[in-house]
Every structure is written in structure tokens, then in C-alpha cells.
Amino acid sequence: MYNYSITPHGLVLLVISEVTIPLKHRTLPFFLALYIINIGEGGHRPCIQTFAADQFGDHLPSEKATKRSFFNWWYLGIVLAGTTATLIVPYVQGKYGWGWGYGISGVVVAVALVVFLAGKSTYRQEAPVGSSVTKVAQVVVAAFKKQRLSHENRFQLCLIEAGESSQAMTRNLAHTNQFRFLDKAAFIDEIDMSLDKKDSWRLSTVNQVKPVKILFRLIPIWLSCLMFTVVIAQIHTLYTKQASTLNRTIWSNNHELQPASFQVITGLTILAAVPIYERLLIPTAKHLTGNPFGITMLQRIGCGIFFSILTMMISALVESKRVRIATQHGLIDRPKTTLPMSVWWLVPQYVLMGISDVFTIVGLQELFYDQVPEEMRSMGAAAYLSIVGVGNFISSALISLVQVITAKHGDEWLKGDNLNKAHLDYFYWLLACLSGLSLVFYVPLAKGFIYKKLQSDGEVMII
């Protein structure tokens, strides 16, 4: 995923950086500011996208169709802001100081907050429905307590309880036979019959069980997409290390681009690809498939995973060429010497990374918004974001594991001090193979996935 992070703690760091304070006294406020932004991001990111999508009503066909395009343009706006920040903020920091860079970021977020609050009276807001996490936990615990209960020795189903509105019933989810063990949470047994008051940790309604089934249905998809986020994590680490060894001069020998600046190529690719996808690929796909949305959300995610495999293959081939040039010019043992190879050789892998982002990241955003119950959409957004977070942890763990294993055999793949003597291309091939396995795992899951459906009026539920 294209990484974006405008720092609301910028003003705090501006003050810290501009005042002469001993290092030991600067460390605590600095990390405190970082922790504050992490807490803010954790509450902000899962909610803001869901809140924005909720402004389009599902009950109006025109707005429901527009919502499918919303996720494309939403991501386009994020990438546009991230690309602009990547170009402007580092320049300001390098020319005028880090304090100015952080200060600009803080002011921008403050202005955004004012604009957001100015429109408060115009927003559609869903009524609070309580903790979704607690409701899910209650269904799972109730099903576990009744795991020995069979269909024959139950008395009846708990269909509805006091407090469930008729409006909620009109948008009742259709029943599925997947994860039937969860149905036992709604079975009424002797203990339930003996209680004066319903125990929510022993008995759930059928309507409470159905949303949990939907969440369980998404878990395999979540797992199968982890490898994709491992691949995109390389854009901020190993790609930058590659760029640092290549010739980055442009226009004249006096001007050299920073290695991290090439991440902008991925952002620019996304800015170009989203309109093409929206205005060209979707209409073409509609004509070919007959699907009113062009392709399904899961097909879109699968396309992105395929492009991520292709990205790693191209990255491996370019890295092999880089090492060959280093060998031919006798620069293997001179890691700080710029190789006579243009950094623009890396452009294809940055571009492919952007294309895979447009397919998979936007597809995941839409899937985890659309396929969870309405009252759990913030949880769905958090689940999507957790794929990215866990993928980054797996990437770090995989790099450490590869280092340990290859070091034992005397031929390290990822030498930190000399990339010319490393085997970064081997690591890229490894990621391509692992991504291929994840795609093999993903395809049958996607084919067997049952999309969320609402129960029709008058339809009889059979368990």
C-alpha cells in the first residue's frame, strides 16, 4: 500500500527541534509525540473511510452505484496527498530544517480538522449500536459452550429478543450453511429454559449469529492476502537500498535525486491508473462479463496479487543486472561507489507496484466495507488495515529468518553493509514463489466465497 502519514504531532516536534535542549530531555517528548500519532491513527483510519462511505445510502440505487466508485477516488485522493507530501516536505526539511517540515504537516492537519468540523451538520450519521467486538465474542463463547449440543436435543431457536427493532429485521441477513457450529449459539437448551433472564454469553439470537458467520468467511481471505502486503513492504526498504547504489543524477551532474524520492513513481502510477481503471477498464469489463460492476471485488484482489508476483520477478531480474554490472566494473567490494547503471532501471518495478496497489488495496478496502454487517463496518476497516500491519511484521521476520539461515551456510542473501555481495535477487525470487503459493491458496477461496445477501420478504429461514 502506498504509505501516507501527515503528522498531527508536527507542531510538537517543531517546538522540540527549534529549542536547544539536551538529547536525553528531547527523547521523551519526541517518542511521546510518535505514540500520540499512533493512537490517533488507530482511531482515525478505521473510522474515516467507513464514515465517508456511509454518506452514500444503500437504499438508493444511484448512490449505491456511486459508492463502488468512491473507493477508487478515495484512494486516489490519499495517494495524491501522500505524493505531494513526499515531494514537498522533504525539500522543505532539507532546505529550511526539520522543524519547518513538521510544522507544515501540523498546520495542514489543523486546517483539515477545521474543514471537517465545518461540515458536521451535513453528515449522515449511523446510530450507535454498542460494541461489535463484544457481540462477536458472545456468539463464539455461546457456540463453544454448546458444542456438544446436537440438532436433535435442542428445544428451539432463539429467533428474536426484546429490543431488536422491526427495521433491523427488514434488513435481515440471509442464512447460510457455512460455519454451522456457530448456529448452536442460538440453540435453546435446558439451562437456557431454566434461566429467568437470557444470558448473552450462553444464548444468542439467529440475527446475532449471521454477522459472525460473515466475519468468519472473511478470515481466509485475510490470511491469503498477507503475502501481498509483505511484497509491497519492500518499496520502503530494499527498493530504496537498491536505488542508493545507482546513478541518480538528472539534468546535470550537480543534481542528484534522493533514493527514497523514487517512491513517488508508485504514487504517480496510482494517480494515472485509477482514472484509467474507472473510465476504461470497468466499462470494458462490464461489456465482456455482463457484471454491472465490471469485475467482482475478489477478482480485483486476485489481479493485484498476480501483479505483485510479476513485480517481484521483474525486481529480481533488475537486481541480477545490477550485480552483473558491479562485477564487470570491479565494484563488488566497493559498496559506497555509485554503479554505472541508471536508477531508471528500477522504474518498472515501482510502476508494477502501483498497479498492484490499485487492484488489491482498493479491492480489500471495498470488500471489508461491503461484506461486513452495517454495524461492523469500522471493524471491517480495521481488519483490512491489520493486513498491512501484520504484513510488515511478517516482512521483517522473513528478512531476519533469511539472514539467519543463509548466514549459517556462509552466503548471506541480505548483507547490510554491502548490497553488491548480497543476493537480493534470490530474496525477490523467494517472495515471488511465496506470493505464487498465496495466489494458489486464494483462488479456490475466492471461487467458493459466498457474498453477503439479504433475506427476501416472506422468505423462510431453514436451518
Side-chain angles (χ1 to χ4, degrees), residues 225 228 300-306 355-365 384:
C225 291
F228 172 82
R300 179 173 186 169
I301 294 170
C303 289
I305 295 175
F306 172 78
I355 294 174
S356 63
D357 253 26
V358 168
F359 280 94
T360 297
I361 293 298
V362 180
L364 285 171
Q365 289 177 350
Y384 143 70

Side-chain angles (χ1 to χ4, degrees), residues 93-248:
Q93 289 173 337
K95 190 173 182 63
Y96 301 103
W98 284 81
W100 281 100
Y102 285 124
I104 290 173
S105 300
V107 169
V108 168
V109 173
V111 172
L113 177 61
V114 171
V115 173
F116 174 77
L117 294 176
K120 184 178 179 181
S121 61
T122 65
Y123 301 138
R124 291 175 177 171
Q125 300 187 47
E126 300 289 337
V129 293
S131 173
S132 298
V133 176
T134 301
K135 293 178 181 179
V136 172
Q138 287 174 339
V139 171
V140 174
V141 170
F144 178 78
K145 288 180 177 179
K146 298 176 181 177
Q147 58 179 327
R148 298 182 183 276
L149 194 66
S150 65
H151 286 253
E152 289 74 23
N153 59 13
R154 66 175 171 85
F155 287 98
Q156 58 184 335
L157 289 171
C158 182
L159 296 176
I160 188 172
E161 65 174 310
E164 286 192 358
S165 65
S166 58
Q167 182 180 4
M169 293 297 292
T170 60
R171 295 191 57 79
N172 192 16
L173 294 169
H175 177 264
T176 69
N177 287 322
Q178 288 183 315
F179 308 109
R180 294 191 66 193
F181 67 92
L182 291 173
D183 289 331
K184 295 182 179 181
F187 287 1
I188 300 176
D189 60 7
E190 295 91 341
I191 299 177
D192 294 322
M193 295 287 288
S194 65
L195 296 176
D196 295 331
K197 184 179 180 182
K198 173 179 170 288
D199 182 1
S200 298
W201 293 93
R202 267 200 59 85
L203 180 63
S204 302
T205 67
V206 172
N207 282 344
Q208 290 171 335
V209 172
K210 293 175 185 177
V212 180
K213 284 189 173 185
I214 291 176
L215 294 180
F216 272 59
R217 197 183 303 163
L218 289 169
I219 291 175
I221 301 296
W222 187 94
L223 291 171
S224 63
C225 291
L226 285 174
M227 198 59 218
F228 172 82
T229 57
V230 172
V231 168
I232 62 176
Q234 310 314 313
I235 190 174
H236 307 295
T237 54
L238 297 179
Y239 276 22
T240 301
K241 291 189 69 174
Q242 280 181 289
S244 66
T245 67
L246 302 178
N247 181 9
R248 305 186 304 278

Side-chain angles (χ1 to χ4, degrees), residues 244-322:
S244 66
T245 67
L246 302 178
N247 181 9
R248 305 186 304 278
T249 57
I250 59 172
W251 298 316
S252 67
N253 292 333
N254 296 326
H255 190 81
E256 186 177 69
L257 295 174
Q258 294 299 315
S261 298
F262 287 88
Q263 296 175 26
V264 172
I265 297 174
T266 298
L268 295 176
T269 301
I270 295 172
L271 293 178
V274 168
I276 292 174
Y277 178 88
E278 184 72 23
R279 301 303 184 192
L280 179 61
L281 293 184
I282 289 182
T284 303
K286 285 181 181 179
H287 177 72
L288 295 176
T289 65
N291 187 316
F293 302 111
I295 59 176
T296 67
M297 291 173 280
L298 290 171
Q299 288 172 339
R300 179 173 186 169
I301 294 170
C303 289
I305 295 175
F306 172 78
F307 275 110
S308 72
I309 299 171
L310 187 60
T311 302
M312 286 296 97
M313 295 172 65
I314 296 298
S315 300
L317 294 174
V318 172
E319 174 62 13
S320 297
K321 178 178 177 61
R322 192 192 67 82

Side-chain angles (χ1 to χ4, degrees), residues 323-334:
V323 174
R324 282 200 308 271
I325 290 179
T327 304
Q328 292 170 1
H329 291 80
L331 299 175
I332 287 292
D333 295 315
R334 298 170 61 184

Side-chain angles (χ1 to χ4, degrees), residues 326-456:
T327 304
Q328 292 170 1
H329 291 80
L331 299 175
I332 287 292
D333 295 315
R334 298 170 61 184
K336 295 184 179 180
T337 301
T338 301
L339 300 181
M341 175 180 174
S342 174
V343 73
W344 300 112
W345 277 92
L346 300 181
V347 168
Q349 62 197 57
Y350 278 105
V351 170
L352 286 171
M353 194 72 81
I355 294 174
S356 63
D357 253 26
V358 168
F359 280 94
T360 297
I361 293 298
V362 180
L364 285 171
Q365 289 177 350
E366 187 176 355
L367 180 72
F368 279 84
Y369 174 86
D370 184 77
Q371 289 302 300
V372 297
E374 293 181 8
E375 67 273 14
M376 294 184 179
R377 281 173 172 170
S378 292
M379 181 186 289
Y384 143 70
L385 290 170
S386 69
I387 299 178
V388 180
V390 174
N392 278 276
F393 280 116
I394 294 176
S395 176
S396 299
L398 184 61
I399 289 174
S400 299
L401 182 62
V402 168
Q403 278 289 75
V404 170
I405 294 176
T406 57
K408 286 184 177 180
H409 294 82
D411 192 15
E412 295 183 42
W413 284 12
L414 304 171
K415 287 181 179 288
D417 57 341
N418 189 348
L419 198 63
N420 296 336
K421 297 181 70 174
H423 294 286
L424 186 56
D425 52 340
Y426 294 174
F427 182 69
Y428 285 153
W429 283 118
L430 174 64
L431 293 182
C433 291
L434 293 176
S435 297
L437 290 175
S438 72
L439 183 60
V440 171
F441 177 56
Y442 173 84
V443 169
L445 290 174
K447 286 185 175 180
F449 188 86
I450 300 176
Y451 286 93
K452 181 181 71 176
K453 293 187 298 183
L454 298 178
Q455 188 170 309
S456 304

